[in-house]
Amino acid sequence: MTLDHREDGVWAAASFSMASHPGVTFVWNQKIMPDLSAEWDPDFAAMLFSTHLIEWFHTEAKRRSPDADGIIQN
């Protein structure tokens, strides 16, 4: 997982692969902290990120075809 500080806030990106999908890399990006946020809870942000990542994988990502580089991205 990586963090990217952008003009509109902090984004987290996670990439992973699954044995059930050989040769495919899944990439999930999500804003986890709005810009200039004074009320940011890192534990809640981490929980929300992982919940959305799992939901995306099970409801959408594993049903999609990868691009030419073998990547499925939100």
Side-chain angles (χ1 to χ4, degrees), residues 54-70:
I54 292 165
E55 179 183 9
W56 171 74
F57 176 75
H58 286 293
T59 61
E60 183 181 340
K62 65 182 181 181
R63 293 174 179 81
R64 292 174 43 192
S65 298
D67 65 14
D69 294 322

Side-chain angles (χ1 to χ4, degrees), residues 1-4 6 10-16 26-32 48-49 52-53 56 71-74:
M1 184 166 80
T2 61
L3 296 177
D4 184 17
R6 301 179 188 176
V10 177
W11 288 71
S15 61
F16 61 96
F26 296 92
V27 179
W28 172 259
N29 295 285
Q30 180 178 340
K31 182 166 50 169
I32 61 169
L48 193 61
F49 180 83
H52 287 175
L53 171 63
W56 171 74
I71 297 173
I72 296 175
Q73 183 169 305
N74 70 320

Side-chain angles (χ1 to χ4, degrees), residues 7-37:
E7 287 183 23
D8 64 341
V10 177
W11 288 71
S15 61
F16 61 96
S17 59
M18 300 288 290
S20 61
H21 294 76
V24 176
T25 300
F26 296 92
V27 179
W28 172 259
N29 295 285
Q30 180 178 340
K31 182 166 50 169
I32 61 169
M33 183 175 137
D35 55 333
L36 304 175
S37 175

